[in-house]
């Protein structure tokens, strides 16, 4: 390789766009040619300066809000006022074939769409679990007594979630809180198993396809069961086998 | 929200104004929703940036038509746009850094966009070619031009004389 040939490829080489064979040839030339090596160094230095000093503009929160509003406005465009379930059908139907939900979630980076698809439900459950843990807002009613927790929750919901005492199996009831899934209030029961905290969300079954029995989201396990006329979704850093066992027991 | 940030960053560097970037990104989101059928998995980011770019050029045509320069490969060396200098932001930065920021903002549009897509968004040549709708050879020549303009920028040299890598 001579200097003319090198000059044509140094930038591509610095940008990582040159295949291995040609990279080898260029490296050989750079080792023996101070002037091409200096050009290469200048490109790397410029790149480093741009990366370090040029601001990367993050979308302002006001813009984010307006974009959300844009999507909210655009979504029911084909019908009049629609309930969210119908809107979901609109989004998943026809030409859009489910992509609208994807793109909204993906543009905004949070699951603002109906998350009744299995994946979104698990993701939202994990997000909710993490938020409660980080915010130190695990329980609103702290009690190991199912007869205290259940009426507290029932008074705040339009359904009455069964609350089980599983202390003998090692799952200690810590308490409960009202949280939100599917933009609706939901009963969150909190159990401790050894040093693992478990959130289990309890709600009446929906008409949508049930979530997968077991999923892992960002290192958390999400286990689903149905039982006692309810949908049960447990989230924890507890291992998958024990969490599955737990959710099956608590839902019984 | 990585993609919205990417969209805003590109729009902000192209428009060089926060409010205008807002408008462009909003328009791009509306379009994205409309043409959502052509979304393909991991190409999504480049695809969305393509929409942002189209939204920007449409906005430019409506609002600042004089900025659309024919790229004939000449005369652009001197097309440093001093209106691009952003006085609000200069206070917190040292002079060297501010000079570099100004020099990037002053790059002619065709060069600024490939530079931002490459250096800030880290798109591959192939992705840039798709976003900017130009052949890969043109991506390479515009990148080379953008970098050469930066290295020789009078804005930079007015401050520091020299920004060659050997000094750093
Ligand atoms: Zn050489």
């Amino acid at each position: 390789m001579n200097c003319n040939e090198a000059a044509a490829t140094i930038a591509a080489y610095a940008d990582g766009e040159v295949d291995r064979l040609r990279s080898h040839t260029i490296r050989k030339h750079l080792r023996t040619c101070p002037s091409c090596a200096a050009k290469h160094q200048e490109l790397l230095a410029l790149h480093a300066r741009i990366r370090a000093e040029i601001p990367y503009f993050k979308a302002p929160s006001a813009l984010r809000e307006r974009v959300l509003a844009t999507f909210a406005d655009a979504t029911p465009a084909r019908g009049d006022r629609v309930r969210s379930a119908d809107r979901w059908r609109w989004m998943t139907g026809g030409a859009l074939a489910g992509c609208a939900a994807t793109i909204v979630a993906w543009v905004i980076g949070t699951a603002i769409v109906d998350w009744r698809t299995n994946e979104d439900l698990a993701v939202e459950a994990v997000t909710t679990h993490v938020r409660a843990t980080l915010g130190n807002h695990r329980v609103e009613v702290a009690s190991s007594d199912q007869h205290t927790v259940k009426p507290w929750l029932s008074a705040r919901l339009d359904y009455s979630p069964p609350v089980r005492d599983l202390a003998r199996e090692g799952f200690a009831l810590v308490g409960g809180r009202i949280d939100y899934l599917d933009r609706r209030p939901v009963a969150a029961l909190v159990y401790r198993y050894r040093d693992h905290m478990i959130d289990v969300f309890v709600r009446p079954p929906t008409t949508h396809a049930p979530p997968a029995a077991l999923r892992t989201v960002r290192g958390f396990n999400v286990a689903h069961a149905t039982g006692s006329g309810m949908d049960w979704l447990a989230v924890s850093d507890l291992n998958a086998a024990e969490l599955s066992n737990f959710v099956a027991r608590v839902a019984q | 929200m990585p993609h919205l940030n990417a969209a805003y960053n590109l729009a902000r560097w192209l428009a060089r104004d926060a409010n205008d970037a807002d408008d462009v990104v909003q328009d791009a989101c509306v379009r994205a929703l409309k043409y959502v059928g052509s979304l393909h998995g991991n190409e999504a980011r480049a695809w969305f940036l393509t929409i942002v770019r189209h939204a920007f050029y449409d906005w430019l045509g409506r609002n600042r038509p004089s900025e659309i320069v024919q790229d004939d490969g000449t005369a652009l060396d001197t097309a440093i746009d001093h209106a691009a200098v952003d006085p609000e932001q200069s206070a917190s930065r040292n002079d060297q850094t501010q000079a570099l920021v100004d020099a990037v903002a002053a790059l002619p549009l065709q060069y600024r966009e490939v530079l931002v897509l490459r250096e800030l968004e880290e798109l591959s040549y192939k992705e840039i070619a798709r976003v900017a709708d130009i052949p890969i050879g043109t991506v390479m020549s515009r990148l080379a031009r953008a970098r050469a303009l930066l290295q020789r920028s009078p804005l930079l040299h007015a401050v520091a004389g020299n920004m060659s890598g050997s000094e750093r």
Side-chain angles (χ1 to χ4, degrees):
Chain A
M1 178 175 274
N2 61 36
C3 288
N4 279 339
E5 289 162 350
T9 40
I10 283 176
Y13 173 68
D15 284 329
E17 293 270 352
V18 171
D19 61 47
R20 278 173 60 191
L21 192 65
R22 280 206 303 162
S23 294
H24 179 73
T25 318
I26 294 169
R27 268 198 300 278
K28 251 171 66 187
H29 181 78
L30 292 180
R31 272 199 297 274
T32 56
C33 175
S35 111
C36 286
K39 277 185 207 145
H40 180 238
Q41 282 308 314
E42 278 176 29
L43 282 174
L44 293 183
L46 179 63
H47 174 71
R49 276 203 66 186
I50 290 174
R51 294 290 303 172
E53 299 176 36
I54 293 297
Y56 190 99
F57 293 106
K58 295 220 163 72
S61 54
L63 173 64
R64 182 168 178 270
E65 298 300 315
R66 277 204 305 283
V67 168
L68 282 171
T70 300
F71 283 124
D73 289 348
T75 304
R78 290 186 190 173
D80 298 317
R81 295 279 316 140
V82 285
R83 294 183 304 112
S84 69
D86 295 332
R87 192 169 73 231
W88 175 249
R89 238 168 271 129
W90 176 82
M91 287 178 114
T92 51
L96 295 186
C99 283
T102 314
I103 194 177
V104 172
W106 153 90
V107 166
I108 307 304
T110 55
I112 59 144
V113 288
D114 295 28
W115 43 266
R116 292 182 181 92
T117 50
N118 311 339
E119 192 148 318
D120 290 343
L121 178 60
V123 170
E124 184 173 344
V126 166
T127 306
T128 304
H129 171 74
V130 169
R131 190 171 51 222
T133 308
L134 293 180
N136 215 358
H137 183 64
R138 250 188 213 122
V139 291
E140 290 166 322
V141 51
S143 172
S144 59
D145 182 359
Q146 53 184 310
H147 303 295
T148 303
V149 175
K150 183 183 160 84
W152 188 93
L153 291 169
S154 304
R156 287 159 180 81
L157 294 164
D158 59 359
Y159 60 95
S160 180
V163 181
R164 309 232 192 282
D165 182 355
L166 297 174
R168 265 179 299 169
E169 280 137 279
F171 299 99
L173 182 63
V174 176
R177 67 173 187 278
I178 304 294
D179 219 316
Y180 288 87
L181 278 186
D182 198 7
R183 277 172 287 165
R184 278 192 214 116
V186 66
L189 303 176
V190 183
Y191 288 85
R192 181 190 294 111
Y193 183 69
R194 299 195 299 267
D195 50 352
H196 301 281
M197 300 304 293
I198 305 171
D199 272 348
V200 54
F201 301 103
V202 192
R203 61 174 188 168
T206 64
T207 55
H208 305 278
L214 186 69
R215 278 204 52 217
T216 302
V217 177
R218 288 190 290 165
F220 291 92
N221 288 310
V222 182
H224 175 259
T226 51
S228 310
M230 293 283 156
D231 252 348
W232 304 75
L233 200 64
V235 183
S236 177
D237 58 353
L238 181 62
N239 71 67
E242 285 181 304
L243 191 66
S244 297
N245 172 52
F246 164 78
V247 77
R249 291 286 297 109
V250 79
Q252 227 168 55
Chain B
M1 41 176 168
H3 296 295
L4 191 62
N5 284 341
Y8 183 75
N9 182 57
L10 179 62
R12 179 70 177 71
W13 274 107
L14 294 184
R16 295 179 295 201
D17 179 273
N19 290 330
D20 297 342
D22 270 22
D23 292 345
V24 169
V25 170
Q26 275 207 91
D27 183 25
C29 287
V30 171
R31 293 174 190 213
L33 197 63
K34 227 179 263 173
Y35 303 116
V36 76
S38 52
L39 178 65
H40 304 292
N42 50 6
E43 294 173 358
R45 189 169 137 97
W47 175 84
F48 189 37
L49 290 177
T50 307
I51 293 180
V52 172
R53 183 177 171 276
H54 285 157
F56 168 74
Y57 276 93
D58 288 353
W59 174 91
L60 195 63
R62 285 194 309 273
N63 295 281
R64 299 188 210 153
S66 63
E67 269 188 42
I68 304 175
V69 191
Q70 260 332 101
D71 180 17
D72 60 355
T74 60
L76 287 171
D77 284 17
T78 51
I80 296 300
D81 181 358
H82 289 278
V85 175
D86 183 351
E88 279 175 37
Q89 299 194 333
S90 48
S92 59
R93 293 205 190 91
N94 70 46
D95 291 347
Q96 266 279 11
T97 289
Q98 189 58 47
L100 180 62
V101 172
D102 293 344
V104 171
L107 284 175
L109 184 54
Q110 286 93 338
Y111 300 136
R112 194 164 70 241
E113 68 181 3
V114 292
L115 189 88
V116 168
L117 290 170
R118 173 63 218 160
E119 301 282 11
L120 296 186
E121 299 301 340
E122 297 188 315
L123 297 191
S124 68
Y125 288 0
K126 208 171 133 197
E127 288 171 318
I128 297 171
R130 209 177 307 140
V131 171
D133 197 22
I134 49 178
I136 286 186
T138 308
V139 172
M140 293 173 72
S141 61
R142 285 191 188 174
L143 262 181
R145 204 91 192 96
R147 287 163 170 162
L149 283 172
L150 284 184
Q151 283 166 330
R152 293 194 271 109
S153 166
L155 287 172
L156 278 174
H157 295 279
V159 174
N162 189 345
M163 60 171 290
S164 93
S166 50
E167 287 193 338
R168 291 175 63 91

